[in-house]
Amino acid sequence: MANAHGDIPPRAHDGPRAILVTGASRGIGRATALALAAQGHNLILTARSVDGGLQYQGTSIHDDLIGEIFSGSVNEVAEQCRSHGVRVETVAMNLTDESSVQAAAEHALTKFGSVDTIVSNAIYQGPGINDRFDDLPIDTLRRVIEADAVAPLVLLKTLLPSMLASGRGVYVHVTSGTATLVPRYPAGQGGWGLAYAMAKGSAHRIAGILQVEYQQHGFRAHNLNPGHVTTDAMIARSQKTGQVATGQSPEIAAHAIAWLIAGSDAAIALGGQESIARDIARDAM
């Protein structure tokens, strides 16, 4: 259960973990890193670059935010995390470059010796995510799927042995309703694109399979659905249009992820399943 400040204490027997958080420069990744650091865990944080802001690539070829600069970097997040007295390493990782993903996993093992937990939060960013099928090149479709569903498996191939050896390995995938739902409207009119849905749908299958195959080693895998979260892009878009950005704080998802990792009996019982962040916030924290 959370304390009066909303923080989730680790279980007394669980001790600090070595946790790799992907896409940690902003949004859910940043909030998760800060929540885990507050619990005393050591962290490996990844993003496409470790310094400087982000030049937004948009989510479709028609996105009028392409080229916008968003502030924040994974090194800045790391400094905030270190204020809690934990060890934090950062490494650049590009999901569309398998060698970069492999190198990030090897860097984590070199720095920490072992990694027992992965928070798979990063996704492909760029046109194609929310383009309609007519505007979607097949090469882009492949790139999105490989970035969102294959890249996490590259990490797992390298890190899983140490996760299993720890006897308490945890894999948390930040999933989405797009993985299982049919949109009511087309992309660009309130729905989402085929590439994003296929990529998230593929990645959604990882947790359940891993849970069945490795639970006898004390390993757990979770899908965490964050719900509709306010992003930097949504805020920038609202400023252009004058509309209010909708969505919930990324901290809700971050604390749900931290609660799953902490491993209460209730969290353990959710292994292999999809959990909803707002439900955890209401019922468990």
Side-chain angles (χ1 to χ4, degrees):
M1 298 289 290
N3 61 27
H5 300 288
D7 298 318
I8 311 158
R11 302 178 80 184
H13 69 274
D14 203 12
R17 290 174 173 268
I19 304 177
L20 186 147
V21 182
T22 69
S25 56
R26 53 187 56 80
I28 292 173
R30 174 185 180 276
T32 299
L34 293 171
L36 294 171
Q39 290 186 348
H41 297 300
N42 300 311
L43 303 170
I44 307 98
L45 307 180
T46 81
R48 279 180 288 176
S49 62
V50 295
D51 286 307
L54 167 73
Q55 185 174 33
Y56 189 59
Q57 302 297 309
T59 62
S60 83
I61 59 174
H62 307 292
D63 196 328
D64 60 3
L65 288 182
I66 291 175
E68 292 278 336
I69 302 297
F70 296 153
S71 62
S73 72
V74 75
N75 273 348
E76 292 173 4
V77 176
E79 282 303 306
Q80 292 176 285
C81 290
R82 292 186 185 108
S83 69
H84 293 285
V86 300
R87 182 180 173 190
V88 185
E89 298 286 341
T90 63
V91 59
M93 187 183 81
N94 185 340
L95 293 175
T96 65
D97 180 354
E98 183 173 327
S99 63
S100 168
V101 179
Q102 180 66 41
E106 292 172 356
H107 178 83
L109 289 178
T110 298
K111 292 295 185 179
F112 283 87
S114 67
V115 173
D116 53 56
T117 306
I118 297 175
V119 178
S120 182
N121 165 71
I123 60 171
Y124 169 89
Q125 298 284 351
I129 296 176
N130 281 319
D131 282 310
R132 297 191 187 194
F133 184 61
D134 282 350
D135 294 325
L136 178 64
I138 294 299
D139 284 349
T140 299
L141 173 65
R142 289 195 185 97
R143 189 179 307 118
V144 177
I145 293 173
E146 290 181 0
D148 289 4
V150 179
L153 298 179
V154 175
L155 285 176
L156 279 161
K157 276 289 188 181
T158 300
L159 299 179
L160 185 63
S162 67
M163 298 172 77
L164 298 181
S166 75
R168 60 174 189 172
V170 179
Y171 173 78
V172 180
H173 167 64
V174 180
T175 189
S176 165
T178 62
T180 57
L181 301 175
V182 176
R184 296 176 61 188
Y185 306 101
Q189 297 179 12
W192 48 84
L194 178 63
Y196 185 63
M198 289 183 67
K200 296 303 286 187
S202 296
H204 189 83
R205 307 308 304 172
I206 296 171
I209 300 298
L210 292 183
Q211 175 77 19
V212 169
E213 292 187 356
Y214 299 111
Q215 59 188 339
Q216 70 270 26
H217 298 283
F219 177 91
R220 292 182 286 119
H222 300 272
N223 280 317
L224 188 281
N225 188 332
H228 184 52
V229 174
T230 304
T231 65
D232 287 353
M234 290 169 60
I235 293 171
R237 212 177 301 281
S238 71
Q239 292 172 344
K240 277 183 172 289
T241 63
Q243 298 177 341
V244 177
T246 59
Q248 61 194 24
S249 166
E251 278 72 22
I252 294 175
H255 283 289
I257 292 168
W259 180 84
L260 288 171
I261 291 170
S264 66
D265 290 342
I268 291 171
L270 295 174
Q273 302 178 39
E274 177 182 356
S275 300
I276 309 299
R278 65 175 179 273
D279 292 345
I280 291 176
R282 181 187 67 234
D283 299 336
M285 292 164 52

